[in-house]
Amino acid sequence: MAKLVLAGRANCPYYAKAELLADYLQANLPDFRVHKITKHPYKWEEWLRDICAMNGWEHKQSPIIWRELSNRGGKGLLLGGVNDFLQYAQHYYGITSTMLSEEMLTIAEENLQTHIEIVKEEEEIRSLINPLQIWITSASAPTCYHLIPLLANGEVFGMTTEISIHLLDTDQFKEVLCGIVMEAEDLAFPLLRSISKHTEIEEAFLQADVIVVLDDILFKHEVPLLEDCIREASEICRVYAPLIEKNAKSSVRVISAGKTFVNLKAMMIMTYGPSIKPENIIALATFWENAAKAVLARKLNINTAGVKDVIIWGNVTGWSYTDLSHAKVYGHDGAIWGPPNFSRPLCNVIYDSSRIYPESPSAQRSLSSREYHCVGMSLAHAVATVLRYWYHGSPPGEIVSVGIPAGGQFCVPEGVVFSMPVRFQNGGWEVMTELEVNETTREILRFLTHDLMQVMISCV
Protein backbone atom coordinates (compact mmCIF):
# COMPACT_ATOMS: atom_id res chain seq x y z
CA MET A 1 0.00 0.00 0.00
CA ALA A 2 1.26 3.48 -0.91
CA LYS A 3 0.64 6.11 1.79
CA LEU A 4 1.77 9.62 0.97
CA VAL A 5 1.90 12.68 3.19
CA LEU A 6 1.27 15.97 1.42
CA ALA A 7 2.11 19.13 3.40
CA GLY A 8 2.24 22.77 2.38
CA ARG A 9 1.27 26.37 2.96
CA ALA A 10 -2.49 26.69 3.06
CA ASN A 11 -2.43 29.35 0.31
CA CYS A 12 0.18 27.65 -1.92
CA PRO A 13 -1.07 27.10 -5.53
CA TYR A 14 1.44 24.27 -6.06
CA TYR A 15 0.07 22.53 -2.96
CA ALA A 16 -3.41 22.89 -4.51
CA LYS A 17 -2.20 21.22 -7.72
CA ALA A 18 -0.58 18.33 -5.82
CA GLU A 19 -3.65 17.96 -3.60
CA LEU A 20 -6.04 17.60 -6.54
CA LEU A 21 -3.84 14.94 -8.13
CA ALA A 22 -3.49 13.07 -4.82
CA ASP A 23 -7.26 13.12 -4.30
CA TYR A 24 -7.76 11.67 -7.79
CA LEU A 25 -5.27 8.87 -7.13
CA GLN A 26 -6.89 8.02 -3.78
CA ALA A 27 -10.36 7.91 -5.34
CA ASN A 28 -9.32 5.64 -8.21
CA LEU A 29 -6.59 3.41 -6.77
CA PRO A 30 -7.60 0.95 -4.00
CA ASP A 31 -4.13 0.82 -2.42
CA PHE A 32 -3.33 4.53 -2.49
CA ARG A 33 -3.81 6.71 0.61
CA VAL A 34 -2.93 10.33 1.24
CA HIS A 35 -2.66 12.33 4.48
CA LYS A 36 -2.81 16.12 4.04
CA ILE A 37 -1.27 18.76 6.31
CA THR A 38 -1.80 22.48 5.82
CA LYS A 39 -0.07 25.23 7.76
CA HIS A 40 -0.81 28.92 7.97
CA PRO A 41 1.63 30.96 5.86
CA TYR A 42 3.05 32.58 9.00
CA LYS A 43 3.83 29.18 10.55
CA TRP A 44 4.94 27.30 7.45
CA GLU A 45 8.68 28.10 7.44
CA GLU A 46 9.19 27.10 11.08
CA TRP A 47 7.19 23.89 10.67
CA LEU A 48 9.09 22.93 7.49
CA ARG A 49 12.42 23.58 9.18
CA ASP A 50 11.49 21.40 12.15
CA ILE A 51 10.16 18.47 10.10
CA CYS A 52 13.25 18.46 7.89
CA ALA A 53 15.58 18.61 10.88
CA MET A 54 13.76 15.73 12.55
CA ASN A 55 14.03 13.50 9.45
CA GLY A 56 17.35 14.69 8.06
CA TRP A 57 15.82 16.07 4.84
CA GLU A 58 16.80 19.00 2.64
CA HIS A 59 13.73 20.85 1.34
CA LYS A 60 12.89 24.57 1.30
CA GLN A 61 9.68 25.04 -0.69
CA SER A 62 5.97 24.31 -0.49
CA PRO A 63 4.71 21.69 -0.79
CA ILE A 64 6.77 18.87 0.72
CA ILE A 65 5.72 15.31 -0.08
CA TRP A 66 7.00 12.07 1.36
CA ARG A 67 6.02 8.44 1.38
CA GLU A 68 5.41 6.76 4.72
CA LEU A 69 6.98 3.34 5.06
CA SER A 70 3.95 1.95 6.89
CA ASN A 71 5.02 -1.68 6.51
CA ARG A 72 8.63 -1.25 7.62
CA GLY A 73 8.57 1.56 10.16
CA GLY A 74 11.23 4.25 10.40
CA LYS A 75 11.22 7.71 8.87
CA GLY A 76 9.43 8.44 5.60
CA LEU A 77 10.97 8.48 2.12
CA LEU A 78 11.13 12.05 0.82
CA LEU A 79 9.74 12.51 -2.70
CA GLY A 80 10.29 16.28 -2.88
CA GLY A 81 8.06 19.06 -4.22
CA VAL A 82 5.20 19.27 -6.69
CA ASN A 83 7.31 18.44 -9.78
CA ASP A 84 8.74 15.38 -8.06
CA PHE A 85 5.24 14.23 -7.18
CA LEU A 86 4.04 14.72 -10.77
CA GLN A 87 6.93 12.62 -12.04
CA TYR A 88 6.17 9.94 -9.42
CA ALA A 89 2.50 9.75 -10.44
CA GLN A 90 3.40 9.66 -14.13
CA HIS A 91 6.02 6.96 -13.66
CA TYR A 92 4.04 4.60 -11.38
CA TYR A 93 0.43 5.23 -12.43
CA GLY A 94 0.60 6.94 -15.82
CA ILE A 95 -1.42 9.88 -14.49
CA THR A 96 -0.52 13.58 -14.44
CA SER A 97 -2.18 16.91 -13.70
CA THR A 98 -3.36 19.42 -16.27
CA MET A 99 -4.56 22.06 -13.76
CA LEU A 100 -4.20 25.62 -15.03
CA SER A 101 -2.51 28.40 -13.05
CA GLU A 102 -5.75 30.36 -12.58
CA GLU A 103 -7.49 27.32 -11.16
CA MET A 104 -4.51 26.64 -8.86
CA LEU A 105 -4.75 30.17 -7.41
CA THR A 106 -8.51 29.87 -6.82
CA ILE A 107 -8.19 26.57 -4.98
CA ALA A 108 -5.23 27.91 -2.97
CA GLU A 109 -7.35 30.80 -1.71
CA GLU A 110 -10.16 28.41 -0.81
CA ASN A 111 -7.68 26.20 1.04
CA LEU A 112 -6.49 29.15 3.13
CA GLN A 113 -10.02 30.13 4.13
CA THR A 114 -10.87 26.51 4.98
CA HIS A 115 -7.69 26.21 7.07
CA ILE A 116 -8.52 29.39 9.01
CA GLU A 117 -12.07 28.19 9.70
CA ILE A 118 -10.87 24.77 10.89
CA VAL A 119 -8.29 26.32 13.25
CA LYS A 120 -10.91 28.70 14.63
CA GLU A 121 -13.35 25.84 15.20
CA GLU A 122 -10.70 23.81 17.01
CA GLU A 123 -9.86 26.78 19.25
CA GLU A 124 -13.55 27.26 20.07
CA ILE A 125 -13.87 23.58 21.02
CA ARG A 126 -10.81 23.83 23.26
CA SER A 127 -12.17 26.99 24.87
CA LEU A 128 -15.31 25.11 25.91
CA ILE A 129 -13.17 22.80 28.00
CA ASN A 130 -11.64 25.29 30.41
CA PRO A 131 -9.50 23.52 32.99
CA LEU A 132 -9.82 24.56 36.61
CA GLN A 133 -6.82 26.74 37.47
CA ILE A 134 -5.31 25.69 40.82
CA TRP A 135 -2.44 27.60 42.43
CA ILE A 136 -0.40 26.19 45.34
CA THR A 137 1.96 28.46 47.25
CA SER A 138 5.12 27.23 48.99
CA ALA A 139 4.90 24.35 46.53
CA SER A 140 8.25 22.88 47.58
CA ALA A 141 6.60 21.83 50.87
CA PRO A 142 6.00 18.07 51.29
CA THR A 143 2.26 18.69 51.53
CA CYS A 144 2.16 19.84 47.90
CA TYR A 145 3.94 16.67 46.76
CA HIS A 146 1.19 14.53 48.31
CA LEU A 147 -1.62 16.89 47.30
CA ILE A 148 -1.07 16.80 43.53
CA PRO A 149 -2.18 13.15 42.97
CA LEU A 150 -5.24 13.72 45.15
CA LEU A 151 -6.30 16.73 43.05
CA ALA A 152 -5.55 15.11 39.70
CA ASN A 153 -7.27 11.73 40.12
CA GLY A 154 -10.75 13.21 39.64
CA GLU A 155 -12.20 12.52 43.08
CA VAL A 156 -11.99 16.13 44.30
CA PHE A 157 -13.48 18.16 41.43
CA GLY A 158 -15.20 15.41 39.48
CA MET A 159 -14.28 12.86 36.83
CA THR A 160 -15.15 15.25 33.99
CA THR A 161 -13.30 18.34 35.23
CA GLU A 162 -9.82 18.97 33.86
CA ILE A 163 -7.37 20.90 36.00
CA SER A 164 -4.20 22.92 35.52
CA ILE A 165 -1.89 23.11 38.53
CA HIS A 166 0.49 26.02 39.09
CA LEU A 167 3.29 25.63 41.63
CA LEU A 168 4.53 28.87 43.22
CA ASP A 169 7.66 29.22 45.31
CA THR A 170 10.86 31.24 45.57
CA ASP A 171 13.72 30.92 43.11
CA GLN A 172 15.82 28.91 45.57
CA PHE A 173 13.38 26.00 45.19
CA LYS A 174 13.34 26.09 41.39
CA GLU A 175 14.99 22.68 41.01
CA VAL A 176 12.57 21.13 43.51
CA LEU A 177 9.62 22.47 41.52
CA CYS A 178 11.11 21.10 38.29
CA GLY A 179 11.30 17.65 39.89
CA ILE A 180 7.70 17.83 41.09
CA VAL A 181 6.50 18.89 37.63
CA MET A 182 8.32 16.00 35.96
CA GLU A 183 6.95 13.44 38.41
CA ALA A 184 3.41 14.76 38.04
CA GLU A 185 3.66 14.56 34.25
CA ASP A 186 4.95 10.97 34.54
CA LEU A 187 1.76 10.03 36.40
CA ALA A 188 -0.19 10.68 33.17
CA PHE A 189 -3.47 11.61 34.85
CA PRO A 190 -6.10 12.10 32.11
CA LEU A 191 -7.63 15.10 33.91
CA LEU A 192 -4.35 16.93 34.49
CA ARG A 193 -4.26 19.31 31.51
CA SER A 194 -0.98 20.91 32.59
CA ILE A 195 1.32 21.54 35.54
CA SER A 196 3.81 24.39 35.69
CA LYS A 197 6.27 26.05 38.05
CA HIS A 198 6.42 29.75 38.88
CA THR A 199 9.08 31.69 40.77
CA GLU A 200 8.15 35.22 39.63
CA ILE A 201 5.72 36.66 42.16
CA GLU A 202 4.26 39.14 39.66
CA GLU A 203 2.67 36.32 37.63
CA ALA A 204 1.14 34.60 40.65
CA PHE A 205 -2.53 33.54 40.69
CA LEU A 206 -3.31 34.33 37.04
CA GLN A 207 -6.92 33.27 36.34
CA ALA A 208 -6.94 31.25 39.57
CA ASP A 209 -10.10 29.32 40.50
CA VAL A 210 -8.57 27.76 43.63
CA ILE A 211 -5.62 28.93 45.73
CA VAL A 212 -4.08 26.76 48.43
CA VAL A 213 -1.85 28.83 50.71
CA LEU A 214 0.62 26.47 52.37
CA ASP A 215 3.25 27.27 54.98
CA ASP A 216 5.81 29.88 54.02
CA ILE A 217 7.94 29.05 57.07
CA LEU A 218 10.65 26.43 56.80
CA PHE A 219 10.16 24.04 59.70
CA LYS A 220 13.07 22.83 61.73
CA HIS A 221 12.98 20.47 64.68
CA GLU A 222 12.27 23.26 67.14
CA VAL A 223 8.90 25.00 67.36
CA PRO A 224 9.08 28.44 65.67
CA LEU A 225 8.62 31.54 67.80
CA LEU A 226 5.13 32.99 67.93
CA GLU A 227 6.33 36.46 66.97
CA ASP A 228 8.20 35.11 63.95
CA CYS A 229 5.11 33.27 62.72
CA ILE A 230 2.95 36.40 63.01
CA ARG A 231 5.48 38.60 61.27
CA GLU A 232 6.13 36.22 58.39
CA ALA A 233 2.45 35.40 57.88
CA SER A 234 1.57 39.10 57.79
CA GLU A 235 4.32 39.96 55.33
CA ILE A 236 3.52 37.22 52.85
CA CYS A 237 -0.23 37.91 52.95
CA ARG A 238 0.45 41.58 52.37
CA VAL A 239 2.05 40.48 49.08
CA TYR A 240 -0.42 37.74 48.14
CA ALA A 241 -3.72 39.57 48.71
CA PRO A 242 -3.30 42.37 46.12
CA LEU A 243 -2.08 39.82 43.57
CA ILE A 244 -5.16 37.68 44.18
CA GLU A 245 -7.36 40.72 43.66
CA LYS A 246 -5.53 41.65 40.47
CA ASN A 247 -4.89 38.29 38.81
CA ALA A 248 -7.37 35.71 40.12
CA LYS A 249 -10.97 35.22 39.05
CA SER A 250 -13.60 37.07 41.06
CA SER A 251 -15.02 33.74 42.25
CA VAL A 252 -11.64 32.41 43.44
CA ARG A 253 -11.68 30.15 46.51
CA VAL A 254 -8.79 30.45 48.93
CA ILE A 255 -7.79 27.83 51.50
CA SER A 256 -5.30 28.85 54.17
CA ALA A 257 -3.60 25.61 55.18
CA GLY A 258 -0.52 24.45 57.02
CA LYS A 259 0.78 24.35 60.58
CA THR A 260 1.39 28.03 61.24
CA PHE A 261 -1.49 30.40 61.99
CA VAL A 262 -3.93 29.50 59.26
CA ASN A 263 -6.59 31.76 60.83
CA LEU A 264 -4.23 34.70 60.80
CA LYS A 265 -3.29 34.18 57.14
CA ALA A 266 -6.96 34.00 56.16
CA MET A 267 -7.70 37.21 58.07
CA MET A 268 -4.74 39.03 56.56
CA ILE A 269 -5.78 38.05 53.03
CA MET A 270 -9.24 39.48 53.76
CA THR A 271 -7.69 42.63 55.21
CA TYR A 272 -5.25 43.33 52.39
CA GLY A 273 -7.62 42.06 49.67
CA PRO A 274 -10.97 43.70 50.49
CA SER A 275 -12.49 42.92 47.07
CA ILE A 276 -12.07 39.15 47.58
CA LYS A 277 -15.34 37.59 48.71
CA PRO A 278 -14.92 36.86 52.46
CA GLU A 279 -17.02 33.70 52.22
CA ASN A 280 -14.52 32.36 49.68
CA ILE A 281 -11.62 32.48 52.15
CA ILE A 282 -11.40 29.71 54.75
CA ALA A 283 -8.83 28.36 57.19
CA LEU A 284 -8.26 24.62 57.24
CA ALA A 285 -9.09 22.94 60.53
CA THR A 286 -9.73 19.46 59.15
CA PHE A 287 -6.12 18.42 59.69
CA TRP A 288 -6.40 18.92 63.47
CA GLU A 289 -9.91 17.49 63.49
CA ASN A 290 -8.64 14.30 61.87
CA ALA A 291 -5.72 14.16 64.30
CA ALA A 292 -8.14 14.26 67.24
CA LYS A 293 -10.25 11.52 65.67
CA ALA A 294 -7.14 9.38 65.25
CA VAL A 295 -6.29 9.74 68.96
CA LEU A 296 -9.81 8.67 69.93
CA ALA A 297 -9.88 5.80 67.44
CA ARG A 298 -6.59 4.35 68.69
CA LYS A 299 -7.82 4.39 72.27
CA LEU A 300 -11.17 2.86 71.35
CA ASN A 301 -9.58 0.32 68.98
CA ILE A 302 -11.73 1.31 65.99
CA ASN A 303 -11.13 2.70 62.52
CA THR A 304 -10.47 6.45 62.52
CA ALA A 305 -13.33 6.87 60.02
CA GLY A 306 -15.64 5.54 62.74
CA VAL A 307 -15.30 8.77 64.76
CA LYS A 308 -17.50 11.62 63.55
CA ASP A 309 -18.48 15.15 64.52
CA VAL A 310 -15.43 16.22 66.51
CA ILE A 311 -15.39 20.02 66.53
CA ILE A 312 -12.33 22.28 66.52
CA TRP A 313 -13.16 25.74 67.87
CA GLY A 314 -11.05 28.87 67.72
CA ASN A 315 -7.62 29.57 66.32
CA VAL A 316 -6.75 26.38 64.45
CA THR A 317 -2.99 26.56 64.93
CA GLY A 318 -3.06 28.73 68.06
CA TRP A 319 -5.35 28.43 71.06
CA SER A 320 -8.13 26.03 70.09
CA TYR A 321 -10.65 23.75 71.74
CA THR A 322 -11.38 20.15 70.76
CA ASP A 323 -15.07 19.67 71.52
CA LEU A 324 -16.24 16.07 71.93
CA SER A 325 -19.75 16.82 73.17
CA HIS A 326 -21.32 16.12 69.75
CA ALA A 327 -18.95 13.34 68.71
CA LYS A 328 -20.33 9.98 67.58
CA VAL A 329 -18.71 6.56 67.31
CA TYR A 330 -19.46 3.95 64.62
CA GLY A 331 -18.40 0.29 64.67
CA HIS A 332 -17.42 0.21 68.34
CA ASP A 333 -17.04 -3.28 69.81
CA GLY A 334 -19.30 -2.82 72.80
CA ALA A 335 -22.32 -4.35 74.47
CA ILE A 336 -24.69 -2.76 71.94
CA TRP A 337 -24.47 -3.67 68.27
CA GLY A 338 -26.33 -2.33 65.25
CA PRO A 339 -26.18 -1.91 61.45
CA PRO A 340 -23.26 -0.06 59.81
CA ASN A 341 -25.07 3.27 60.13
CA PHE A 342 -25.67 2.78 63.85
CA SER A 343 -23.77 5.23 66.03
CA ARG A 344 -23.40 5.96 69.72
CA PRO A 345 -22.50 9.23 71.41
CA LEU A 346 -18.85 9.28 72.34
CA CYS A 347 -19.72 10.29 75.89
CA ASN A 348 -21.66 7.04 76.29
CA VAL A 349 -18.75 4.92 75.06
CA ILE A 350 -15.98 6.31 77.24
CA TYR A 351 -16.10 6.79 80.97
CA ASP A 352 -13.72 9.73 81.23
CA SER A 353 -12.97 11.74 78.07
CA SER A 354 -9.98 13.42 79.70
CA ARG A 355 -8.24 10.02 79.82
CA ILE A 356 -8.81 9.55 76.10
CA TYR A 357 -7.98 13.06 74.92
CA PRO A 358 -6.48 14.92 77.88
CA GLU A 359 -6.71 18.39 76.39
CA SER A 360 -10.40 18.14 75.47
CA PRO A 361 -11.99 19.80 78.54
CA SER A 362 -10.13 23.05 77.99
CA ALA A 363 -8.44 25.06 75.30
CA GLN A 364 -5.06 23.89 74.10
CA ARG A 365 -2.36 25.57 72.09
CA SER A 366 -2.10 23.59 68.85
CA LEU A 367 1.17 25.19 67.85
CA SER A 368 3.02 23.63 70.76
CA SER A 369 0.80 20.70 71.73
CA ARG A 370 1.67 18.47 68.79
CA GLU A 371 4.99 17.34 67.40
CA TYR A 372 5.70 18.61 63.88
CA HIS A 373 5.81 15.98 61.18
CA CYS A 374 6.78 17.32 57.76
CA VAL A 375 5.70 14.32 55.72
CA GLY A 376 2.56 16.21 54.64
CA MET A 377 0.32 13.25 53.82
CA SER A 378 -2.41 13.98 56.37
CA LEU A 379 -2.44 17.71 55.63
CA ALA A 380 -2.73 17.05 51.89
CA HIS A 381 -5.63 14.69 52.52
CA ALA A 382 -7.35 17.35 54.64
CA VAL A 383 -7.00 19.97 51.89
CA ALA A 384 -8.39 17.58 49.27
CA THR A 385 -11.29 16.60 51.53
CA VAL A 386 -12.38 20.18 52.19
CA LEU A 387 -12.12 21.08 48.50
CA ARG A 388 -14.29 18.07 47.61
CA TYR A 389 -16.86 19.15 50.18
CA TRP A 390 -16.74 22.75 48.96
CA TYR A 391 -17.51 21.72 45.38
CA HIS A 392 -19.83 18.76 45.94
CA GLY A 393 -21.16 19.12 49.49
CA SER A 394 -20.26 17.42 52.77
CA PRO A 395 -21.98 14.20 53.91
CA PRO A 396 -25.53 14.96 55.14
CA GLY A 397 -25.67 15.62 58.85
CA GLU A 398 -21.90 15.46 59.31
CA ILE A 399 -20.05 18.26 61.10
CA VAL A 400 -16.97 19.79 59.47
CA SER A 401 -14.68 22.19 61.32
CA VAL A 402 -13.57 25.17 59.22
CA GLY A 403 -12.10 28.55 60.05
CA ILE A 404 -14.55 31.06 58.54
CA PRO A 405 -15.21 34.80 58.92
CA ALA A 406 -17.47 34.96 61.96
CA GLY A 407 -20.79 36.76 61.73
CA GLY A 408 -21.90 36.72 65.35
CA GLN A 409 -22.65 33.01 65.56
CA PHE A 410 -22.06 31.44 68.99
CA CYS A 411 -21.36 34.96 70.31
CA VAL A 412 -18.14 35.19 68.30
CA PRO A 413 -17.84 38.82 67.11
CA GLU A 414 -17.53 39.77 63.47
CA GLY A 415 -14.13 40.53 62.04
CA VAL A 416 -12.26 37.40 63.06
CA VAL A 417 -11.65 34.07 61.33
CA PHE A 418 -12.83 31.50 63.85
CA SER A 419 -13.01 27.73 63.48
CA MET A 420 -16.52 26.44 64.08
CA PRO A 421 -18.87 23.69 62.87
CA VAL A 422 -20.17 24.10 59.31
CA ARG A 423 -21.82 22.10 56.54
CA PHE A 424 -20.98 22.43 52.87
CA GLN A 425 -23.79 22.49 50.32
CA ASN A 426 -24.61 24.10 46.95
CA GLY A 427 -21.04 25.26 46.41
CA GLY A 428 -20.85 27.14 49.71
CA TRP A 429 -20.91 26.63 53.47
CA GLU A 430 -23.15 27.54 56.36
CA VAL A 431 -22.56 27.54 60.10
CA MET A 432 -24.47 24.87 62.01
CA THR A 433 -26.05 27.31 64.45
CA GLU A 434 -28.64 24.72 65.52
CA LEU A 435 -26.02 22.88 67.61
CA GLU A 436 -26.42 23.27 71.35
CA VAL A 437 -23.45 24.79 73.17
CA ASN A 438 -23.26 24.53 76.96
CA GLU A 439 -22.08 27.30 79.24
CA THR A 440 -18.64 25.74 79.74
CA THR A 441 -18.04 25.76 76.01
CA ARG A 442 -19.30 29.35 75.73
CA GLU A 443 -16.81 30.43 78.36
CA ILE A 444 -14.00 28.74 76.47
CA LEU A 445 -15.14 30.40 73.23
CA ARG A 446 -14.97 33.81 74.91
CA PHE A 447 -11.39 33.08 75.93
CA LEU A 448 -10.48 31.89 72.43
CA THR A 449 -12.06 34.97 70.86
CA HIS A 450 -10.10 37.28 73.18
CA ASP A 451 -6.86 35.51 72.30
CA LEU A 452 -7.54 35.73 68.56
CA MET A 453 -8.38 39.42 68.85
CA GLN A 454 -5.03 39.99 70.57
CA VAL A 455 -3.26 38.30 67.68
CA MET A 456 -5.07 40.60 65.27
CA ILE A 457 -4.12 43.67 67.26
CA SER A 458 -0.45 42.62 67.23
CA CYS A 459 -0.54 42.60 63.41
CA VAL A 460 -1.76 46.18 63.11
Side-chain angles (χ1 to χ4, degrees):
M1 174 182 290
K3 181 177 181 181
L4 266 64
V5 179
L6 172 63
R9 285 197 331 268
N11 64 343
C12 175
Y14 298 105
Y15 173 85
K17 186 171 186 176
E19 178 189 28
L20 189 64
L21 177 58
D23 287 343
Y24 179 83
L25 294 173
Q26 182 170 249
N28 291 277
L29 300 175
D31 293 331
F32 186 94
R33 296 290 180 268
V34 62
H35 174 64
K36 293 180 282 188
I37 301 173
T38 58
K39 292 294 177 181
H40 194 279
Y42 294 143
K43 298 182 179 180
W44 166 251
E45 296 293 340
E46 181 181 358
W47 183 88
L48 179 62
R49 187 168 54 251
D50 290 343
I51 197 70
C52 288
M54 182 175 64
N55 292 280
W57 297 334
E58 288 289 338
H59 192 84
K60 298 182 179 179
Q61 297 178 341
S62 172
I64 180 173
I65 305 163
W66 68 89
R67 181 179 178 182
E68 285 194 347
L69 306 178
S70 55
N71 294 331
R72 288 179 286 169
K75 67 180 182 179
L77 177 64
L78 178 65
L79 295 183
V82 63
N83 291 332
D84 301 294
F85 180 50
L86 292 176
Q87 293 175 11
Y88 172 85
Q90 178 68 41
H91 177 75
Y92 282 95
Y93 307 112
I95 300 173
T96 188
S97 174
T98 59
M99 182 184 292
L100 301 176
S101 298
E102 185 177 347
E103 188 179 2
M104 290 165 56
L105 292 172
T106 301
I107 295 177
E109 184 63 28
E110 292 176 353
N111 281 344
L112 178 59
Q113 294 302 319
T114 301
H115 175 80
I116 293 173
E117 291 175 3
I118 291 174
V119 170
K120 183 179 179 180
E121 183 179 345
E122 290 174 349
E123 290 177 350
E124 289 177 351
I125 292 174
R126 284 195 296 268
S127 68
L128 295 175
I129 310 175
N130 290 323
L132 210 63
Q133 303 294 326
I134 303 170
W135 283 77
I136 305 174
T137 74
S138 302
S140 62
T143 299
C144 177
Y145 185 84
H146 294 283
L147 179 60
I148 290 172
L150 299 178
L151 297 178
N153 65 13
E155 294 183 3
V156 173
F157 302 106
M159 299 306 296
T160 60
T161 302
E162 290 190 345
I163 65 172
S164 290
I165 298 177
H166 305 267
L167 309 179
L168 178 66
D169 215 318
T170 58
D171 194 60
Q172 73 178 103
F173 297 107
K174 188 174 182 179
E175 292 187 6
V176 176
L177 298 186
C178 288
I180 296 175
V181 169
M182 291 179 63
E183 282 206 60
E185 291 173 340
D186 291 344
L187 293 175
F189 281 112
L191 296 176
L192 183 57
R193 172 80 69 87
S194 64
I195 181 168
S196 56
K197 58 178 176 61
H198 303 267
T199 56
E200 298 294 333
I201 192 65
E202 292 78 12
E203 64 185 26
F205 314 126
L206 286 173
Q207 295 300 305
D209 293 289
V210 175
I211 299 174
V212 180
V213 181
L214 296 180
D215 283 314
D216 293 279
I217 297 175
L218 294 178
F219 283 105
K220 300 179 176 60
H221 292 294
E222 67 274 10
V223 176
L225 295 175
L226 175 64
E227 294 77 9
D228 293 338
C229 291
I230 294 176
R231 186 186 69 255
E232 292 191 35
S234 300
E235 290 175 354
I236 197 64
C237 291
R238 191 187 297 268
V239 175
Y240 283 167
L243 288 171
I244 295 173
E245 285 186 305
K246 177 184 176 182
N247 296 337
K249 295 178 182 177
S250 59
S251 59
V252 64
R253 303 181 184 186
V254 182
I255 292 184
S256 173
K259 298 180 180 179
T260 58
F261 282 78
V262 294
N263 293 60
L264 176 62
K265 288 186 287 187
M267 282 191 293
M268 300 305 285
I269 291 173
M270 293 178 191
T271 301
Y272 296 122
S275 67
I276 306 171
K277 297 177 182 178
E279 65 271 18
N280 282 2
I281 305 173
I282 64 174
L284 188 75
T286 313
F287 170 76
W288 302 99
E289 179 185 312
N290 290 342
K293 291 177 180 178
V295 172
L296 293 165
R298 283 192 291 268
K299 297 295 183 179
L300 295 173
N301 196 28
I302 61 174
N303 190 307
T304 303
V307 182
K308 305 286 187 183
D309 298 344
V310 173
I311 303 174
I312 304 294
W313 297 91
N315 189 359
V316 176
T317 48
W319 284 105
S320 62
Y321 171 49
T322 305
D323 183 1
L324 307 180
S325 60
H326 298 276
K328 301 183 184 68
V329 177
Y330 294 79
H332 181 249
D333 186 10
I336 302 176
W337 281 78
N341 61 348
F342 173 74
S343 67
R344 300 178 62 190
L346 178 70
C347 298
N348 293 351
V349 175
I350 59 177
Y351 174 73
D352 184 1
S353 63
S354 64
R355 296 181 62 184
I356 296 290
Y357 198 78
E359 296 104 339
S360 61
S362 60
Q364 70 271 359
R365 193 168 192 84
S366 301
L367 187 62
S368 59
S369 65
R370 291 185 60 83
E371 180 184 354
Y372 282 99
H373 298 281
C374 294
V375 175
M377 187 185 301
S378 55
L379 183 55
H381 173 71
V383 173
T385 299
V386 168
L387 277 173
R388 185 174 73 252
Y389 290 169
W390 208 346
Y391 275 81
H392 302 292
S394 54
E398 190 170 318
I399 298 173
V400 184
S401 299
V402 175
I404 50 96
Q409 305 95 336
F410 302 107
C411 298
V412 178
E414 297 184 13
V416 295
V417 174
F418 199 89
S419 179
M420 57 181 67
V422 304
R423 66 170 65 88
F424 287 92
Q425 58 184 10
N426 302 322
W429 51 262
E430 65 176 9
V431 180
M432 302 179 70
T433 53
E434 70 275 13
L435 294 180
E436 295 184 3
V437 178
N438 56 41
E439 186 56 37
T440 301
T441 301
R442 291 185 183 276
E443 182 63 30
I444 294 175
L445 296 187
R446 283 191 286 270
F447 166 77
L448 297 177
T449 302
H450 175 76
D451 174 74
L452 198 49
M453 294 294 290
Q454 294 303 309
V455 174
M456 289 181 59
I457 293 172
S458 66
C459 296
V460 178

